[in-house]
Amino acid sequence: MSSTHCFHCAEPMPADVQLLARVGASVHAVCCIGCQAAVEWIATLGLQEYYRLRDTPAGRAVPVDDYAAWDRPQVQRLHVRRHADGSAEACVLVEGLRCAACSWLIERALRDVPGVRDVGVNPAARRLRIEWSPNTISLSEILVRLARLGYVPHPINAEALDALGQREERAALKRLVVAGLGMMQSMMYAVALYAGAFEGMNSSTRDFFRWIGLLVTTPVMVYAAPVFFVGAWREWRTRQLGMDTPVALAIGLVYLASIFETLRGGSQVYFDSASMFVFLLLSGRYLEMHARHRAADVVDALARLQPALAQRHAASGALETVGVHELETGDTVVVAAGAAIPADGVLLSANCPVDESLLTGESASRERHAGETLIAGSIARSGPIQLRVVHIGAETVLSSIVRLATRAQQQRPHWAQLGDRFAARFVAGVLTLSLATACVWLLVDPSRAFAATLAVLVVSCPCAFALSAPTALTRAMAVLARQGVLVLKPDALEKLVRANHFVFDKTGTLTHNRLELVEVMVLSNRPVDACLRLAAQLEQANTHPIALAIRAATAASNSAQPAALRNVAGAGVEGEIDGHLYRLGRDSFAAALGQASTIGADDDVVLADSSGTLARFTFRETLRDDAMTTLAVLRRDGATVEILSGDSLTRVASLAVRLGVADYRARISPAAKLERLQALRGSGAIIAMVGDGVNDAPVLAGADVAIALGGGAQLAQSSADIVLAGDRLGALIDARTLALRTLRILRQNVYWAVGYNFILIPLAAMGWISPWFAAIGMSTSSLLVILNALRIAVPRKAVAATAPAAEIAATARSVPA
């Protein structure tokens, strides 16, 4: 770097500043104290390799702010997630995060800090995920260290997202405008040169137009084209060839050859071609940028759902408008019709239709009733309503979804790694072929050697290989996130398609955690309604599943509270109604008042008084609405379905009969479940295990693909490959359908890339394709890969929309293990 520019940020050196920073044995000029501190601190950490690896200068270091506000409880509620083991996790937007070298620097600088457990950087999304031990180091101390590197952290909110997105788009648009203006001007002068070549033009006029062409093309090369040169330099420095290498080589050769021909008065110049290459390639990149944003916009959209303000009931009873970070657990907030719910909470109003589409994928509003939990970020469709705050900020389901989706985007799937490796080999082959093309044409027809070599360099499209997998998988993960399906490991989509044996837990997975009353066996002369009313009166103050099921089955409203009401833990409840003592609960507990009955099942609930048993109530678990259809579709598609449960044989068998499942096991421990999975894998089965995400965590780890069903705490603690965040088990079918479509589009992109390059590169080498047409072809090829990935759309909610079994089986066979 010249001493006229800052070594750290590359900004011009102020005339009155003479500051130096030492890196090893070298001394470099810097523009300010902030950059000097950043350089010396990077050198102190032993990370000076960053200055060799980076492809763009660092942002200008600013004085380190006081980040103590990040340690305030009100702020941490919004942005920090506490784990059960005492660690904490936060995601922040990072200004100045530009390239892979920035990621390298941040990860190495922060991971060695005592107390920091993990660091994940996503330069494309400008996000940093930090996991640390609050007992060892505070979040503000970590952010100060980040700021000392020259990277400014911001909370993830709508304002910060909009600012960073607009900044990136403005920079890309300015480069495109400069390239477009330069192209139009240089082509205008090139038309005069072409006309002069046919009609005759004296040498002085010809040289004038050539120098004007150089004048209007140079700003394009200096301002718009460096993105390719810097990218190529990074690829060579890191020994990882990519699409920028042949593009930069072609643009540089065209520009330098045109200067050489202008200086020596040669026969041809290519300033118009150089400007056109840059403009066409930047146009393709600009469209790709928009396509990538569209593919990955769901996480940003989720982050925008959190409202900034809320209306809270003050101690005086009056409504006050406060920031969401000021809310406390137990506060009562009021939400107007059409407004976003500010925090997870319990509905206090009678009922309210709620739109949870962006969180759970449910397109229709769901009717919520008093006592049910509402999710932050969902929309109240009627109101005003009142709710009691339960979870705030980072503890909400919304924050859990954003955090897990962000973590998933930081991982490189298997297909993407294969594409990167193939693209690197492909570029090496293209460079070799370009050299061979130049040598052959110099022997056959030297006048065509330069154009043919340029065409080979430009027409090759390694980005079709490098972009096909990450773009398709990013789009699929974004679409599924909109449907409440969080893919935490990108390779899980491939495994989900290949899975041929689905193992389900019972409680909380195939069933809801609530019961339904299916039979009342009267053993006295009292009518059924009278027995139900007595049971409902005894249970009217309780909220456990049996009490809720009895009250739901009682048509008449309950009477006054029974006298001497007493709950006996693990046994039941007793109380006096109209002067008579009644008991409701286990057979042994209720029968103690009178004569026991031997009729009925052991797990029935018994109502009794001093005369004996009055009635027996039989309950069963409530199936999820789409459990039966989901399992039927899986069987139709050729998969085997099995239930493994620790519940009693009677209940598991009853549920299996209702669902039409022939393979089931009851009273099975987690260790026995793992043994069963290992036996299935030994027989060649590819296993997908579906559980609740917390209780089944050890068993989920033993499957080829682990799918957790749950929300809230389960979302935060689950280590599954895929999480179904909503209540729909049918989302599993949606995920499998979309995974199949994703792999199909992935293959289409690869076939297109192979076919395009196999056909056009030989044509270019033979001189049948001009360089300008090659530039159009290369940009179009890259754009088609992106647009094809955008065809990955939301599957229809009907589970019957799953692909035929033969197609899924064929895809499973064609996907590499």
Side-chain angles (χ1 to χ4, degrees), residues 312-320 332:
R312 178 179 65 184
H313 277 297
S316 62
L319 279 180
E320 59 178 354
T332 301

Side-chain angles (χ1 to χ4, degrees), residues 65-106:
D65 293 328
D66 181 6
Y67 292 98
W70 285 82
D71 295 331
R72 297 177 61 185
Q74 296 89 343
V75 175
Q76 295 212 348
R77 283 198 197 101
L78 295 180
H79 304 291
V80 177
R81 172 76 188 187
R82 303 284 179 173
H83 297 300
D85 61 358
S87 64
E89 182 181 355
C91 292
V92 296
L93 281 176
V94 181
E95 185 178 349
L97 179 56
R98 292 177 170 86
C99 63
C102 297
S103 303
W104 179 90
L105 175 63
I106 292 173

Side-chain angles (χ1 to χ4, degrees), residues 364-393:
S365 297
R366 302 185 60 178
E367 190 72 22
R368 295 294 189 179
H369 302 281
E372 292 189 304
T373 300
L374 302 185
I375 303 174
S378 53
I379 308 298
R381 288 304 180 194
S382 66
I385 61 170
Q386 295 189 26
L387 73 151
R388 185 178 68 255
V389 174
V390 176
H391 296 299
I392 306 162

Side-chain angles (χ1 to χ4, degrees), residues 101 109 162 186 196 233 356 361 439-440 460 503 529 592 648 734 789:
D162 289 340
S186 62
W233 176 239
E356 300 174 352
C439 293
V440 170
S460 62
V503 177
D529 290 345
S648 67
D734 294 341

Side-chain angles (χ1 to χ4, degrees), residues 64-203:
V64 177
D65 293 328
D66 181 6
Y67 292 98
W70 285 82
D71 295 331
R72 297 177 61 185
Q74 296 89 343
V75 175
Q76 295 212 348
R77 283 198 197 101
L78 295 180
H79 304 291
V80 177
R81 172 76 188 187
R82 303 284 179 173
H83 297 300
D85 61 358
S87 64
E89 182 181 355
C91 292
V92 296
L93 281 176
V94 181
E95 185 178 349
L97 179 56
R98 292 177 170 86
C99 63
C102 297
S103 303
W104 179 90
L105 175 63
I106 292 173
E107 288 180 353
R108 281 157 181 78
L110 296 185
R111 277 181 178 163
D112 293 335
V113 175
V116 175
R117 296 189 173 188
D118 190 28
V119 177
V121 183
N122 185 345
R126 295 186 176 90
R127 281 187 173 85
L128 168 65
R129 183 183 61 82
I130 316 165
E131 187 175 342
W132 75 98
S133 174
N135 295 329
T136 306
I137 190 171
S138 66
L139 178 57
S140 63
E141 291 178 275
I142 299 173
L143 297 182
V144 165
R145 290 174 179 264
L146 179 66
R148 287 180 64 185
L149 292 172
Y151 302 99
V152 182
H154 300 283
I156 297 178
N157 53 40
E159 292 78 10
L161 291 169
D162 289 340
L164 289 177
Q166 290 170 4
R167 203 170 302 155
E168 180 184 8
E169 185 166 345
R170 278 198 302 268
L173 190 58
K174 284 191 289 186
R175 286 194 296 268
L176 185 60
V177 168
V178 170
L181 291 174
M183 180 192 68
M184 289 187 291
Q185 294 295 319
S186 62
M187 290 185 70
M188 181 175 65
Y189 297 122
V191 169
L193 289 173
Y194 295 148
F198 290 101
E199 301 296 332
M201 178 182 291
N202 61 55
S203 59

Side-chain angles (χ1 to χ4, degrees), residues 463-530:
C463 57
F465 297 106
L467 290 176
S468 59
T471 305
L473 292 171
T474 298
R475 173 63 178 172
M477 291 165 63
V479 171
L480 287 173
R482 190 182 293 273
Q483 301 306 301
V485 180
L486 303 179
V487 182
L488 307 186
K489 299 176 183 176
D491 289 334
L493 289 179
E494 176 186 330
K495 294 177 182 177
L496 181 61
V497 172
R498 298 174 58 238
N500 55 18
H501 196 110
F502 284 77
V503 177
F504 289 84
D505 178 47
K506 180 181 73 71
T507 305
T509 302
L510 295 172
T511 64
H512 289 291
N513 290 318
R514 62 174 183 262
L515 301 175
E516 60 178 340
L517 180 62
V518 294
E519 183 182 4
V520 179
M521 183 186 300
V522 177
L523 302 175
S524 64
N525 57 359
R526 303 193 186 210
V528 172
D529 290 345

